[in-house]
Every structure is written in C-alpha cells, then in structure tokens.
C-alpha cells in the first residue's frame, strides 16, 4: 500500500471517530439555524476579506482587528456556534495527536500522549478563547 493510500485510509478512520461525528452533528445544527449560520458567515466573510488585504500587502488597522474580534465574540456567544467550535477543537486535538504520532515515526522521538498538541506544532485554534480559528482561516 502506498503512503497516499495509507493517508486515505487514515482519513477514513478519522471520519469514524466520535469527535468527527460531533463536528458533523453540530455543523448541521448551525446550518439549520438562520441566526447561527449568519453569524458564522459574517465572521468568515470579514476574515477572508482581511486575509486578502494582507496578501496584497495592506496592514490591518486596530479598527479592523477590533471589528473582527467583535464579530468573533458575537458568533462564539451563540450556543449552537459555541457547540460547533467546541466540537471542532476536540477533533483538531485528535488530528494534532495523529500528527504527533506521524512525527514520532519520522523522528524516532516519542511524544507523550498527555502533551498538548499545540506544543509540538499544528493548529492553535483551540488555544484562543473563542475557538474560532483566526490564524489559519478555519484550518
């Protein structure tokens, strides 16, 4: 089996985890709720616009960052969005632990399963208060 086929199999296995099922369940709940869906869309749209600005070499202003933070706060205050973000964070922790195990295979160094995945690289989304990923546009 090639490394690519093994990666596909790993993805299939990850899709059977309870954490992934919870992401799917909470994502559907957000999709079905107009208010929650609009809050997420507004935040993501502004985040994408600011990312485009930065890629074009523009510096974000304090007002830009405050506006984004306010939208993030409003979105994450909605119970359905909060549940979705919490579910995403739990799944990202699983993925980060898998990444640690891959790194272990590459380097021969053993990483403790109790270690925080963010200490060794990967997504830092769960490290912020809201759980909305502002650094990588949603991983």
């Amino acid at each position: 089996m090639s490394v690519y086929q093994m990666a596909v199999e790993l993805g299939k296995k990850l899709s059977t985890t309870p954490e992934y099922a919870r992401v799917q369940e909470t994502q559907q709940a957000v999709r079905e709720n107009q208010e929650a869906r609009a809050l997420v869309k507004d935040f993501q749209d502004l985040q994408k616009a600011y990312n485009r600005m930065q890629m074009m070499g523009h510096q974000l202003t304090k007002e830009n960052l405050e506006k984004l933070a306010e939208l993030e706060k409003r979105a994450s205050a909605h119970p359905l969005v909060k549940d979705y973000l919490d579910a995403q964070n739990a799944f990202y922790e699983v993925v980060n632990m898998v990444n640690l195990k891959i790194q272990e295979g590459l380097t021969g160094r053993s990483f403790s399963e109790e270690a925080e995945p963010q200490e060794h690289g990967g997504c830092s989304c769960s490290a912020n208060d809201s759980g909305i990923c502002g650094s990588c546009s949603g991983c």
Side-chain angles (χ1 to χ4, degrees), residues 6 31 64 75 123 131 138:
M6 290 173 22
R31 276 192 212 117
N64 293 141
C123 183

Side-chain angles (χ1 to χ4, degrees), residues 86-101:
D86 290 346
Q88 273 190 326
N89 287 334
F91 181 66
Y92 291 144
E93 288 178 23
V94 171
V95 171
N96 285 332
M97 188 54 66
V98 168
N99 186 49
L100 286 177
K101 293 301 182 180

Side-chain angles (χ1 to χ4, degrees), residues 42-43 46 66-76:
D42 290 347
F43 173 77
L46 186 61
E66 287 172 355
K67 185 174 181 179
L68 188 63
E70 177 58 32
L71 277 176
E72 179 180 19
K73 185 177 177 181
R74 281 183 35 217
S76 63

Side-chain angles (χ1 to χ4, degrees), residues 41-97:
K41 183 181 182 323
D42 290 347
F43 173 77
Q44 289 176 338
D45 288 349
L46 186 61
Q47 186 179 44
K48 287 176 188 174
Y50 286 172
N51 285 341
R52 281 192 301 273
M53 285 174 55
Q54 287 180 308
M55 288 185 345
M56 293 175 18
H58 298 285
Q59 193 74 17
L60 294 181
T61 65
K62 181 180 177 184
E63 291 78 22
N64 293 141
L65 296 174
E66 287 172 355
K67 185 174 181 179
L68 188 63
E70 177 58 32
L71 277 176
E72 179 180 19
K73 185 177 177 181
R74 281 183 35 217
S76 63
H78 191 286
L80 292 176
V81 175
K82 183 178 181 338
D83 286 349
Y84 172 58
L85 296 173
D86 290 346
Q88 273 190 326
N89 287 334
F91 181 66
Y92 291 144
E93 288 178 23
V94 171
V95 171
N96 285 332
M97 188 54 66

Side-chain angles (χ1 to χ4, degrees), residues 99-112:
N99 186 49
L100 286 177
K101 293 301 182 180
I102 292 169
Q103 292 298 316
E104 185 178 310
L106 291 170
T107 65
R109 281 191 322 179
S110 179
F111 297 108
S112 168

